[in-house]
Structure formats: C-alpha cells, structure tokens
Amino acid sequence: MSRSPLVVGNWKMHGSQGFIKDFFANFQCDPGRVNVAIVPPYIYLPLLQTYAANIRVQWGAQNVSAQQQGAYTGEVSVSMLQDFQCQYVLVGHSERRCLYGETDADVREKCKVALQAGLQPIVCVGESWAAREAGEAVAVITAQCEVVLSGIELTDHLIFAYEPVWAIGTGKVPTVEQVQTVHAAIRRTVEKYDNEIAKRMRILYGGSVKPSNCSDLFSAPDVDGGLIGGASLQPHVFKEVIEICNKSC
Ligand code: PGA
C-alpha cells in the first residue's frame, strides 16, 4: 500500500516576521512525492501563507479549540483555521499535554471538531521515559489512540504522530525497531475500527529527527513521514529531511 509521505515542520513558539522572510528566501526544495507542511505560531499564519502558497508547502496550526465560538479568551476555533486555508492541525502535542494539562478527552474533542470541518488533525501520542522503561510503551500509546478512535467518526483525514516524550528536543531517538513496533501497533489499533482506512492512514514519527538519523527511521514500513521540531527551523536542514523522506519513505 503506497501512502503519500508527509513531513511537517512544527515551529513551536519560534519565529518572527523577519525569520519567515529569511526562511523562505533560503528554502529551495523539490519535495518529490512528499507532502510538506509547516505549522507556525497562529499569528504568523497569514504571513507564512503568502510565501508557502507559491511553492509546494502547505500549512496548519499547532492547536485548536474544541469550541466553535464564544467567550473563550485566547482560543482559536476550527473555522478560523479554515479562514486561513489551514489543512492540518496538531492535536495533543506532548507539550500541550504536559505543560497545559490537555487530557485524552480534550484531544478527542479537538480531533472531532477538526475532522468534522474537513481538516487533517495530526494526533500526537507517545510514552514517557518511565513508561518505556517499564515496558508499557505500546500499552500507553494504544490507550491514547483508543480514546480518540472510540469517540470520533473515523475518516481518511486522521493522521497519528508517534512522539516519545523523552525524544522531543533531547537528541535521543528510539531504535528503528522500537519505532516500527509502535507504528505497527497504532495501525493495528486503527484496523479494529476500519481496515481500509488503517492501510491508507499516515503515521508520522517525531522526536529529534534530523538528516543524520531520518533515513533509517523513514525506511521502517509503517513510518510515513515525520513531525520535525528543531530541524524545521533551519531551511537547509529541513530541506534535507524532506529529500531523505522522498528517497526512504
Ligand atoms: P524535535 O520536536 O524535532 O525538536 O524533537 C519534535 C516535536 O515536538 O514535534
């Protein structure tokens, strides 16, 4: 089953207007078969769009409210993301879960509104180091996926990203075997809900991805691309990751 690979740059809370201008001045990339997207801080979406719309780069947001509109100070709704032609939205990134207390139920509600609106939610799942050490990684991740899958209407738009919490921004990466085991477990979990969608679903790996380690990671059969933090802030490095994905995925 061939799935179009996807590489998403998660800029987190980095950047400025000047940074975006410089980034695109230096980002010449032929992504081949790879879909490429960047998720900047909300406020930079309109500016990023003016550059990305001219090249083969899509965009999206790092978070979304589960509410449609109303008195929710500081929140951004799914229709606002659509207003800026977002295609993707991260849901349940571990920084949202760990630092802002997002629960599995919050993640499910956000995923639900994104799917209902036709956006592609990238639902992030991953285990802590303690869970990995205790041999509970697959159980933790399967449970995170189940909460989402059992409460949504599954469509081809759903994307999962496996991001071990201990690998994010640390330079540590799991082995290719560990990554493949988790990705296969995620796909098996989705199969219980819809076998065909499971075959077509893209499952990304994220956590300290860089040019020197991504060829092996992207070669694993159930890895369909990457969610890239630090390495997506440097145009030449991000381009290299995309080109390696085009060869390996
Ligand atoms: P990293 O971040 O590539 O800097 O580890 C990945 C992420 O948090 O999405």
mmCIF file of all heavy atoms in Angstrom, residues 8 10 12 90 93-95 124 163 167-171 206-210 227-232, ligand 1:
data_model
loop_
_atom_site.group_PDB
_atom_site.id
_atom_site.type_symbol
_atom_site.label_atom_id
_atom_site.label_comp_id
_atom_site.label_asym_id
_atom_site.label_seq_id
_atom_site.Cartn_x
_atom_site.Cartn_y
_atom_site.Cartn_z
ATOM 1 N N VAL A 8 6.099 17.413 8.332
ATOM 2 C CA VAL A 8 5.509 18.624 8.912
ATOM 3 C C VAL A 8 6.534 19.296 9.823
ATOM 4 O O VAL A 8 7.112 18.653 10.704
ATOM 5 C CB VAL A 8 4.250 18.269 9.743
ATOM 6 C CG1 VAL A 8 3.638 19.529 10.367
ATOM 7 C CG2 VAL A 8 3.213 17.556 8.876
ATOM 8 N N ASN A 10 7.149 21.670 12.785
ATOM 9 C CA ASN A 10 6.468 22.267 13.939
ATOM 10 C C ASN A 10 7.390 23.343 14.508
ATOM 11 O O ASN A 10 8.377 23.029 15.170
ATOM 12 C CB ASN A 10 6.191 21.163 14.976
ATOM 13 C CG ASN A 10 5.629 21.725 16.280
ATOM 14 O OD1 ASN A 10 5.249 22.901 16.349
ATOM 15 N ND2 ASN A 10 5.590 20.902 17.313
ATOM 16 N N LYS A 12 6.780 25.439 16.791
ATOM 17 C CA LYS A 12 6.533 25.735 18.215
ATOM 18 C C LYS A 12 6.459 27.258 18.418
ATOM 19 O O LYS A 12 5.949 27.949 17.549
ATOM 20 C CB LYS A 12 7.608 25.064 19.071
ATOM 21 C CG LYS A 12 7.734 23.567 18.734
ATOM 22 C CD LYS A 12 8.518 22.786 19.730
ATOM 23 C CE LYS A 12 8.585 21.324 19.265
ATOM 24 N NZ LYS A 12 9.157 20.439 20.255
ATOM 25 N N LEU A 90 -2.150 20.237 14.567
ATOM 26 C CA LEU A 90 -1.627 19.315 15.578
ATOM 27 C C LEU A 90 -2.637 19.234 16.704
ATOM 28 O O LEU A 90 -3.227 20.246 17.098
ATOM 29 C CB LEU A 90 -0.303 19.805 16.165
ATOM 30 C CG LEU A 90 0.885 20.059 15.241
ATOM 31 C CD1 LEU A 90 2.126 20.361 16.081
ATOM 32 C CD2 LEU A 90 1.136 18.889 14.319
ATOM 33 N N HIS A 93 -0.224 17.548 21.143
ATOM 34 C CA HIS A 93 1.244 17.500 21.231
ATOM 35 C C HIS A 93 1.632 17.327 22.705
ATOM 36 O O HIS A 93 0.966 17.863 23.591
ATOM 37 C CB HIS A 93 1.836 18.791 20.661
ATOM 38 C CG HIS A 93 3.329 18.730 20.540
ATOM 39 N ND1 HIS A 93 4.155 18.924 21.622
ATOM 40 C CD2 HIS A 93 4.140 18.453 19.494
ATOM 41 C CE1 HIS A 93 5.413 18.780 21.232
ATOM 42 N NE2 HIS A 93 5.430 18.500 19.944
ATOM 43 N N SER A 94 2.720 16.629 22.960
ATOM 44 C CA SER A 94 3.051 16.330 24.365
ATOM 45 C C SER A 94 3.308 17.599 25.173
ATOM 46 O O SER A 94 3.079 17.630 26.378
ATOM 47 C CB SER A 94 4.237 15.377 24.461
ATOM 48 O OG SER A 94 5.424 16.088 24.274
ATOM 49 N N GLU A 95 3.739 18.687 24.497
ATOM 50 C CA GLU A 95 3.910 19.940 25.251
ATOM 51 C C GLU A 95 2.553 20.488 25.685
ATOM 52 O O GLU A 95 2.427 21.099 26.744
ATOM 53 C CB GLU A 95 4.712 20.942 24.410
ATOM 54 C CG GLU A 95 6.184 20.542 24.360
ATOM 55 C CD GLU A 95 6.937 20.945 23.114
ATOM 56 O OE1 GLU A 95 6.492 21.832 22.371
ATOM 57 O OE2 GLU A 95 8.009 20.338 22.879
ATOM 58 N N CYS A 124 -1.031 13.585 18.232
ATOM 59 C CA CYS A 124 0.269 13.164 18.755
ATOM 60 C C CYS A 124 0.075 12.234 19.948
ATOM 61 O O CYS A 124 -0.707 12.545 20.868
ATOM 62 C CB CYS A 124 1.079 14.380 19.198
ATOM 63 S SG CYS A 124 1.302 15.593 17.876
ATOM 64 N N GLU A 163 5.291 10.348 18.977
ATOM 65 C CA GLU A 163 6.354 11.195 19.506
ATOM 66 C C GLU A 163 6.654 10.772 20.934
ATOM 67 O O GLU A 163 5.951 11.194 21.874
ATOM 68 C CB GLU A 163 5.921 12.666 19.499
ATOM 69 C CG GLU A 163 5.657 13.222 18.116
ATOM 70 C CD GLU A 163 5.954 14.707 18.053
ATOM 71 O OE1 GLU A 163 5.420 15.468 18.872
ATOM 72 O OE2 GLU A 163 6.746 15.096 17.207
ATOM 73 N N ALA A 167 11.981 11.797 23.655
ATOM 74 C CA ALA A 167 12.794 12.025 22.452
ATOM 75 C C ALA A 167 12.622 13.436 21.909
ATOM 76 O O ALA A 167 13.360 13.849 21.016
ATOM 77 C CB ALA A 167 12.414 11.009 21.364
ATOM 78 N N ILE A 168 11.656 14.185 22.444
ATOM 79 C CA ILE A 168 11.359 15.510 21.888
ATOM 80 C C ILE A 168 12.384 16.534 22.377
ATOM 81 O O ILE A 168 12.487 16.780 23.579
ATOM 82 C CB ILE A 168 9.924 15.942 22.255
ATOM 83 C CG1 ILE A 168 8.918 15.000 21.588
ATOM 84 C CG2 ILE A 168 9.670 17.380 21.838
ATOM 85 C CD1 ILE A 168 7.479 15.257 21.983
ATOM 86 N N GLY A 169 13.134 17.068 21.432
ATOM 87 C CA GLY A 169 14.094 18.127 21.744
ATOM 88 C C GLY A 169 15.277 17.667 22.579
ATOM 89 O O GLY A 169 16.009 18.493 23.126
ATOM 90 N N THR A 170 15.492 16.370 22.696
ATOM 91 C CA THR A 170 16.551 15.860 23.576
ATOM 92 C C THR A 170 17.743 15.300 22.808
ATOM 93 O O THR A 170 18.788 15.045 23.402
ATOM 94 C CB THR A 170 16.009 14.701 24.447
ATOM 95 O OG1 THR A 170 15.534 13.670 23.562
ATOM 96 C CG2 THR A 170 14.878 15.160 25.347
ATOM 97 N N GLY A 171 17.557 15.047 21.509
ATOM 98 C CA GLY A 171 18.617 14.389 20.739
ATOM 99 C C GLY A 171 18.588 12.875 20.883
ATOM 100 O O GLY A 171 19.333 12.168 20.219
ATOM 101 N N GLY A 206 7.966 11.538 15.243
ATOM 102 C CA GLY A 206 8.545 12.814 15.661
ATOM 103 C C GLY A 206 9.356 12.650 16.932
ATOM 104 O O GLY A 206 9.038 11.809 17.783
ATOM 105 N N GLY A 207 10.390 13.476 17.069
ATOM 106 C CA GLY A 207 11.263 13.432 18.248
ATOM 107 C C GLY A 207 12.706 13.370 17.796
ATOM 108 O O GLY A 207 13.182 12.315 17.390
ATOM 109 N N SER A 208 13.364 14.562 17.804
ATOM 110 C CA SER A 208 14.791 14.660 17.464
ATOM 111 C C SER A 208 15.141 14.121 16.078
ATOM 112 O O SER A 208 16.226 13.581 15.875
ATOM 113 C CB SER A 208 15.641 13.970 18.538
ATOM 114 O OG SER A 208 15.504 14.639 19.772
ATOM 115 N N VAL A 209 14.217 14.273 15.129
ATOM 116 C CA VAL A 209 14.518 13.860 13.747
ATOM 117 C C VAL A 209 15.500 14.862 13.138
ATOM 118 O O VAL A 209 15.331 16.074 13.262
ATOM 119 C CB VAL A 209 13.234 13.817 12.878
ATOM 120 C CG1 VAL A 209 13.580 13.543 11.412
ATOM 121 C CG2 VAL A 209 12.274 12.765 13.406
ATOM 122 N N LYS A 210 16.538 14.337 12.510
ATOM 123 C CA LYS A 210 17.495 15.191 11.793
ATOM 124 C C LYS A 210 18.044 14.411 10.601
ATOM 125 O O LYS A 210 17.827 13.195 10.500
ATOM 126 C CB LYS A 210 18.598 15.685 12.725
ATOM 127 C CG LYS A 210 19.231 14.635 13.587
ATOM 128 C CD LYS A 210 20.253 15.279 14.503
ATOM 129 C CE LYS A 210 21.105 14.204 15.151
ATOM 130 N NZ LYS A 210 20.931 14.023 16.544
ATOM 131 N N LEU A 227 7.308 14.436 11.948
ATOM 132 C CA LEU A 227 6.922 15.709 12.569
ATOM 133 C C LEU A 227 8.220 16.268 13.144
ATOM 134 O O LEU A 227 8.811 15.671 14.050
ATOM 135 C CB LEU A 227 5.863 15.454 13.650
ATOM 136 C CG LEU A 227 5.320 16.660 14.410
ATOM 137 C CD1 LEU A 227 4.818 17.754 13.470
ATOM 138 C CD2 LEU A 227 4.189 16.233 15.342
ATOM 139 N N ILE A 228 8.646 17.399 12.585
ATOM 140 C CA ILE A 228 10.008 17.867 12.824
ATOM 141 C C ILE A 228 9.979 19.178 13.608
ATOM 142 O O ILE A 228 9.386 20.151 13.135
ATOM 143 C CB ILE A 228 10.739 18.122 11.472
ATOM 144 C CG1 ILE A 228 10.384 17.074 10.402
ATOM 145 C CG2 ILE A 228 12.240 18.252 11.675
ATOM 146 C CD1 ILE A 228 10.789 15.667 10.707
ATOM 147 N N GLY A 229 10.616 19.205 14.763
ATOM 148 C CA GLY A 229 10.673 20.428 15.559
ATOM 149 C C GLY A 229 11.916 21.228 15.197
ATOM 150 O O GLY A 229 11.969 21.909 14.170
ATOM 151 N N GLY A 230 12.939 21.133 16.034
ATOM 152 C CA GLY A 230 14.164 21.927 15.883
ATOM 153 C C GLY A 230 14.708 21.975 14.458
ATOM 154 O O GLY A 230 15.065 23.053 13.959
ATOM 155 N N ALA A 231 14.764 20.819 13.809
ATOM 156 C CA ALA A 231 15.383 20.754 12.475
ATOM 157 C C ALA A 231 14.559 21.469 11.404
ATOM 158 O O ALA A 231 15.060 21.726 10.307
ATOM 159 C CB ALA A 231 15.616 19.295 12.071
ATOM 160 N N SER A 232 13.305 21.818 11.723
ATOM 161 C CA SER A 232 12.493 22.507 10.710
ATOM 162 C C SER A 232 12.713 24.013 10.725
ATOM 163 O O SER A 232 12.174 24.741 9.893
ATOM 164 C CB SER A 232 10.999 22.204 10.908
ATOM 165 O OG SER A 232 10.496 22.857 12.052
HETATM 166 P P1 PGA B 1 12.055 17.944 17.934
HETATM 167 O O1 PGA B 1 10.493 18.209 18.178
HETATM 168 O O2 PGA B 1 12.204 17.514 16.483
HETATM 169 O O3 PGA B 1 12.722 19.266 18.214
HETATM 170 O O4 PGA B 1 12.472 16.872 18.872
HETATM 171 C C1 PGA B 1 9.518 17.397 17.598
HETATM 172 C C2 PGA B 1 8.144 17.844 18.049
HETATM 173 O O5 PGA B 1 7.979 18.218 19.206
HETATM 174 O O6 PGA B 1 7.167 17.830 17.257
#
